[in-house]
Amino acid sequence: MVNGYHLLSYSRISTSYNILVLYKYDSFGAEIRYSILLTDKIPSNGILGTLTKIKNRTNSKEFAISQMNLELDFDSYTYEEFYKKIGGVVNTGLVRSPVLSGLMNNLGLNLLSEGLEGAPNDLLEIYSKECLQYLFKSPARRYGKDRSFERLPDGVLLVKNISAFLFDSKAYSNGFEFTSDDINRFEKYIEDFSEKYSHLFAVKSFIVISGRFNDSDEAILNRSTDLLSRAQVPIACIQAKTLAEMVAEIMKKPEFQQSIDWNQIFVKPVVKLSNLTSQIKKIEKDKII
């Protein structure tokens, strides 16, 4: 998912054999499909026959991934080889900018800081993804061009192989204000994601990032409650500047990063810097780290 692939289907043949059909879009919008056999054993002819049927039915390219070196009539990779080929999480270092807070604040208000080039809304997506990825120490995926082909939020954060946080960034010069259409879209994003990945990830919250929110805290709580009742997922609103300030706080105390309960912070209707600093103070009082 981090590298732009989407799950089309999943077949659990047994505890040792699983077949995933993935797809991604090329630069021209064409869909490319792959049938992947995940195995910790040498596959039997029956398993290979099943893979061939799925490959033919989905018009996809087949290959295998295993902890072992397999000798097959098609491509196979060890996990290490596969990760090298597909590419891992790229840490661009954007979050280490000494002016991150002001930069994020401007982008959230649809403004460009000096030295930046591009559209503020695109840059806000990129910086928001990098900030969330840094805080959670987990891979994040910005969908980008894929939004032209599917109903998707700006991105998704995948945490400890069990949780997902969908996120949308809103660069509005006059501040962002929720409408009923926004909640409808969020609900569809969550439904679409859960339909594909609920057996792998549970969506914990829908994070909305902007320079300023025009709704009152009470109004945001009502919107969050509405989405929670419809999709079992709350809204978590955070100002772009606050997200950057959280990154700065963790950079001061990097040893605390894995002890922070980010799930607890990013399910609040309005996420504030104090939500993080209060946890940091408790960890300091424990004097364990």
Side-chain angles (χ1 to χ4, degrees), residues 25 36 49 122 156 185 238 260 266 279:
Y25 298 106
I36 305 171
D122 287 337
V156 59
R185 277 195 298 272
I238 183 168
I260 299 295
F266 280 91
Q279 284 206 31

Side-chain angles (χ1 to χ4, degrees), residues 238-281:
I238 183 168
Q239 290 187 337
K241 180 180 179 181
T242 301
L243 187 57
E245 290 171 343
M246 284 188 171
V247 168
E249 285 295 317
I250 290 299
M251 284 186 178
K252 295 178 195 173
K253 301 277 187 179
E255 67 275 17
F256 288 3
Q257 186 170 18
Q258 301 219 53
S259 299
I260 299 295
D261 187 350
W262 298 106
N263 285 11
Q264 185 185 82
I265 292 174
F266 280 91
V267 295
K268 298 182 182 300
V270 179
V271 181
K272 300 179 180 179
L273 182 61
S274 59
N275 301 140
L276 172 60
T277 55
S278 63
Q279 284 206 31
I280 290 176
K281 288 177 182 177

Side-chain angles (χ1 to χ4, degrees), residues 1 13 15 36 60 86 88 92 103 116 141 160 225-226 246:
M1 290 179 64
I13 311 301
T15 55
I36 305 171
S60 56
I86 197 174
T92 64
L103 183 152
L116 281 185
R141 160 90 169 105
K160 296 181 180 178
T225 302
D226 185 17
M246 284 188 171

Side-chain angles (χ1 to χ4, degrees), residues 10-79:
Y10 168 72
S11 302
R12 183 177 177 84
I13 311 301
S14 72
T15 55
S16 296
Y17 303 106
N18 299 271
I19 298 175
L20 290 81
V21 180
L22 305 180
Y23 67 94
K24 72 177 302 183
Y25 298 106
D26 68 12
S27 301
F28 300 98
E31 187 179 289
I32 304 171
R33 295 183 176 185
Y34 303 88
S35 294
I36 305 171
L37 172 64
L38 299 179
T39 176
D40 57 8
K41 293 182 179 179
I42 298 174
S44 65
N45 290 334
I47 295 296
L48 294 177
T50 300
L51 178 63
T52 298
K53 289 178 182 178
I54 292 176
K55 178 199 76 168
N56 292 337
R57 187 177 70 245
T58 58
N59 190 28
S60 56
K61 174 180 171 55
E62 64 193 340
F63 64 88
I65 304 173
S66 175
Q67 295 180 7
M68 306 176 291
N69 287 302
L70 299 176
E71 294 185 7
L72 302 170
D73 293 334
F74 51 88
D75 293 338
S76 66
Y77 307 94
T78 63
Y79 286 111

